[in-house]
Short mmCIF file of all heavy atoms in Angstrom, two decimals:
data_model
loop_
_atom_site.label_atom_id
_atom_site.label_comp_id
_atom_site.label_asym_id
_atom_site.label_seq_id
_atom_site.Cartn_x
_atom_site.Cartn_y
_atom_site.Cartn_z
N VAL A 1 0.86 -1.18 0.00
CA VAL A 1 0.00 0.00 0.00
C VAL A 1 0.89 1.23 0.00
O VAL A 1 2.05 1.18 0.45
CB VAL A 1 -0.94 0.04 1.22
CG1 VAL A 1 -2.01 -1.02 1.13
CG2 VAL A 1 -0.15 -0.10 2.52
N ALA A 2 0.37 2.34 -0.52
CA ALA A 2 1.12 3.59 -0.55
C ALA A 2 0.16 4.75 -0.34
O ALA A 2 -1.03 4.66 -0.67
CB ALA A 2 1.86 3.75 -1.88
N LEU A 3 0.68 5.85 0.18
CA LEU A 3 -0.09 7.05 0.45
C LEU A 3 0.42 8.18 -0.41
O LEU A 3 1.63 8.36 -0.59
CB LEU A 3 0.03 7.44 1.92
CG LEU A 3 -0.70 8.72 2.34
CD1 LEU A 3 -2.20 8.48 2.40
CD2 LEU A 3 -0.19 9.23 3.68
N GLU A 4 -0.52 8.98 -0.94
CA GLU A 4 -0.17 10.18 -1.72
C GLU A 4 0.18 11.30 -0.73
O GLU A 4 -0.70 11.86 -0.08
CB GLU A 4 -1.34 10.59 -2.61
CG GLU A 4 -1.06 11.78 -3.50
CD GLU A 4 -2.27 12.15 -4.34
OE1 GLU A 4 -3.41 11.84 -3.92
OE2 GLU A 4 -2.09 12.76 -5.40
N ASP A 5 1.46 11.62 -0.61
CA ASP A 5 1.91 12.65 0.32
C ASP A 5 1.82 14.03 -0.31
O ASP A 5 2.04 14.20 -1.51
CB ASP A 5 3.36 12.39 0.75
CG ASP A 5 3.47 11.22 1.71
OD1 ASP A 5 2.59 11.08 2.57
OD2 ASP A 5 4.43 10.44 1.59
N GLY A 6 1.51 15.05 0.52
CA GLY A 6 1.57 16.43 0.07
C GLY A 6 0.39 16.89 -0.75
O GLY A 6 0.43 17.97 -1.35
N ALA A 7 -0.68 16.10 -0.82
CA ALA A 7 -1.84 16.49 -1.62
C ALA A 7 -2.57 17.66 -0.93
O ALA A 7 -2.70 17.71 0.28
CB ALA A 7 -2.79 15.31 -1.80
N THR A 8 -3.05 18.63 -1.76
CA THR A 8 -3.81 19.74 -1.19
C THR A 8 -5.19 19.29 -0.77
O THR A 8 -5.78 19.84 0.16
CB THR A 8 -3.91 20.87 -2.22
OG1 THR A 8 -4.48 20.35 -3.44
CG2 THR A 8 -2.53 21.43 -2.53
N ARG A 9 -5.76 18.30 -1.46
CA ARG A 9 -7.03 17.74 -1.05
C ARG A 9 -6.75 16.48 -0.25
O ARG A 9 -5.60 16.19 0.09
CB ARG A 9 -7.89 17.41 -2.27
CG ARG A 9 -7.26 16.40 -3.22
CD ARG A 9 -8.08 16.26 -4.49
NE ARG A 9 -7.53 15.25 -5.38
CZ ARG A 9 -7.88 13.99 -5.40
NH1 ARG A 9 -8.78 13.55 -4.55
NH2 ARG A 9 -7.35 13.16 -6.26
N ALA A 10 -7.77 15.73 0.06
CA ALA A 10 -7.57 14.49 0.81
C ALA A 10 -6.67 13.56 0.02
O ALA A 10 -6.90 13.31 -1.18
CB ALA A 10 -8.91 13.83 1.07
N PRO A 11 -5.61 13.06 0.63
CA PRO A 11 -4.69 12.18 -0.10
C PRO A 11 -5.36 10.87 -0.49
O PRO A 11 -6.31 10.42 0.15
CB PRO A 11 -3.55 11.95 0.89
CG PRO A 11 -4.16 12.16 2.23
CD PRO A 11 -5.21 13.22 2.04
N ARG A 12 -4.83 10.29 -1.55
CA ARG A 12 -5.32 9.00 -2.02
C ARG A 12 -4.38 7.90 -1.58
O ARG A 12 -3.25 8.15 -1.18
CB ARG A 12 -5.44 9.01 -3.55
CG ARG A 12 -6.46 9.99 -4.07
CD ARG A 12 -6.44 10.08 -5.59
NE ARG A 12 -5.24 10.77 -6.08
CZ ARG A 12 -5.04 11.08 -7.36
NH1 ARG A 12 -5.94 10.74 -8.27
NH2 ARG A 12 -3.94 11.71 -7.73
N ILE A 13 -4.86 6.68 -1.68
CA ILE A 13 -4.03 5.52 -1.39
C ILE A 13 -3.97 4.63 -2.63
O ILE A 13 -4.87 4.66 -3.48
CB ILE A 13 -4.55 4.71 -0.19
CG1 ILE A 13 -5.97 4.17 -0.46
CG2 ILE A 13 -4.52 5.55 1.07
CD1 ILE A 13 -6.48 3.24 0.63
N ALA A 14 -2.89 3.89 -2.74
CA ALA A 14 -2.75 2.90 -3.80
C ALA A 14 -2.59 1.53 -3.15
O ALA A 14 -1.87 1.39 -2.16
CB ALA A 14 -1.55 3.21 -4.69
N ILE A 15 -3.26 0.55 -3.71
CA ILE A 15 -3.22 -0.82 -3.19
C ILE A 15 -2.79 -1.76 -4.32
O ILE A 15 -3.44 -1.79 -5.38
CB ILE A 15 -4.60 -1.27 -2.67
CG1 ILE A 15 -5.12 -0.30 -1.60
CG2 ILE A 15 -4.53 -2.69 -2.13
CD1 ILE A 15 -6.59 -0.51 -1.27
N ALA A 16 -1.71 -2.49 -4.10
CA ALA A 16 -1.33 -3.53 -5.05
C ALA A 16 -2.18 -4.75 -4.77
O ALA A 16 -1.93 -5.50 -3.82
CB ALA A 16 0.15 -3.86 -4.91
N ASP A 17 -3.23 -4.93 -5.56
CA ASP A 17 -4.13 -6.07 -5.42
C ASP A 17 -3.49 -7.25 -6.16
O ASP A 17 -3.92 -7.65 -7.24
CB ASP A 17 -5.51 -5.72 -5.98
CG ASP A 17 -6.57 -6.76 -5.64
OD1 ASP A 17 -6.29 -7.65 -4.82
OD2 ASP A 17 -7.67 -6.67 -6.21
N THR A 18 -2.44 -7.79 -5.55
CA THR A 18 -1.52 -8.69 -6.23
C THR A 18 -2.21 -9.91 -6.81
O THR A 18 -1.95 -10.31 -7.94
CB THR A 18 -0.42 -9.13 -5.24
OG1 THR A 18 0.13 -7.97 -4.61
CG2 THR A 18 0.66 -9.90 -5.94
N GLY A 19 -3.10 -10.51 -6.04
CA GLY A 19 -3.75 -11.73 -6.50
C GLY A 19 -4.72 -11.52 -7.64
O GLY A 19 -5.11 -12.49 -8.31
N HIS A 20 -5.13 -10.27 -7.88
CA HIS A 20 -6.04 -9.96 -8.98
C HIS A 20 -5.33 -9.26 -10.13
O HIS A 20 -5.98 -8.76 -11.05
CB HIS A 20 -7.20 -9.09 -8.49
CG HIS A 20 -8.18 -9.82 -7.64
ND1 HIS A 20 -8.95 -9.19 -6.68
CD2 HIS A 20 -8.51 -11.13 -7.57
CE1 HIS A 20 -9.72 -10.07 -6.08
NE2 HIS A 20 -9.47 -11.26 -6.60
N ASP A 21 -4.00 -9.18 -10.08
CA ASP A 21 -3.21 -8.61 -11.16
C ASP A 21 -3.62 -7.18 -11.48
O ASP A 21 -3.74 -6.79 -12.65
CB ASP A 21 -3.31 -9.47 -12.43
CG ASP A 21 -2.64 -10.82 -12.25
OD1 ASP A 21 -1.79 -10.95 -11.36
OD2 ASP A 21 -2.95 -11.75 -13.03
N ARG A 22 -3.81 -6.36 -10.45
CA ARG A 22 -4.22 -4.98 -10.69
C ARG A 22 -3.76 -4.10 -9.53
O ARG A 22 -3.36 -4.59 -8.46
CB ARG A 22 -5.73 -4.89 -10.84
CG ARG A 22 -6.49 -5.28 -9.58
CD ARG A 22 -7.99 -5.28 -9.77
NE ARG A 22 -8.66 -5.67 -8.53
CZ ARG A 22 -9.98 -5.77 -8.39
NH1 ARG A 22 -10.77 -5.52 -9.41
NH2 ARG A 22 -10.51 -6.12 -7.23
N VAL A 23 -3.85 -2.79 -9.74
CA VAL A 23 -3.59 -1.81 -8.71
C VAL A 23 -4.82 -0.92 -8.59
O VAL A 23 -5.39 -0.49 -9.61
CB VAL A 23 -2.36 -0.95 -9.05
CG1 VAL A 23 -2.18 0.18 -8.03
CG2 VAL A 23 -1.10 -1.81 -9.11
N LEU A 24 -5.25 -0.67 -7.36
CA LEU A 24 -6.40 0.20 -7.11
C LEU A 24 -5.92 1.51 -6.50
O LEU A 24 -5.06 1.52 -5.62
CB LEU A 24 -7.37 -0.47 -6.14
CG LEU A 24 -7.94 -1.84 -6.56
CD1 LEU A 24 -8.86 -2.37 -5.48
CD2 LEU A 24 -8.66 -1.75 -7.89
N VAL A 25 -6.47 2.62 -7.01
CA VAL A 25 -6.26 3.93 -6.41
C VAL A 25 -7.59 4.33 -5.78
O VAL A 25 -8.63 4.34 -6.45
CB VAL A 25 -5.81 4.97 -7.45
CG1 VAL A 25 -5.65 6.34 -6.81
CG2 VAL A 25 -4.50 4.53 -8.09
N ALA A 26 -7.55 4.63 -4.48
CA ALA A 26 -8.79 4.83 -3.74
C ALA A 26 -8.66 6.00 -2.78
O ALA A 26 -7.57 6.52 -2.52
CB ALA A 26 -9.14 3.56 -2.95
N THR A 27 -9.80 6.44 -2.27
CA THR A 27 -9.81 7.45 -1.23
C THR A 27 -9.42 6.80 0.10
O THR A 27 -9.34 5.57 0.22
CB THR A 27 -11.21 8.06 -1.08
OG1 THR A 27 -12.11 7.05 -0.57
CG2 THR A 27 -11.74 8.56 -2.42
N LEU A 28 -9.20 7.64 1.10
CA LEU A 28 -8.87 7.11 2.42
C LEU A 28 -10.01 6.30 3.01
O LEU A 28 -9.81 5.46 3.89
CB LEU A 28 -8.51 8.24 3.38
CG LEU A 28 -7.14 8.91 3.16
CD1 LEU A 28 -6.95 10.05 4.13
CD2 LEU A 28 -6.02 7.90 3.30
#
């Protein structure tokens, strides 16, 4: 997982959904 640092709005998160062969970008 990763966090969007320094965002002026609410930061987003990224999730490596490894078993589904994809990456999700989501709100907190």
Side-chain angles (χ1 to χ4, degrees):
V1 290
L3 178 74
E4 182 181 25
D5 287 321
T8 55
R9 61 187 182 93
R12 296 174 288 186
I13 62 174
I15 304 167
D17 190 10
T18 310
H20 289 153
D21 292 340
R22 64 184 179 180
V23 174
L24 302 179
V25 178
T27 67
L28 287 178

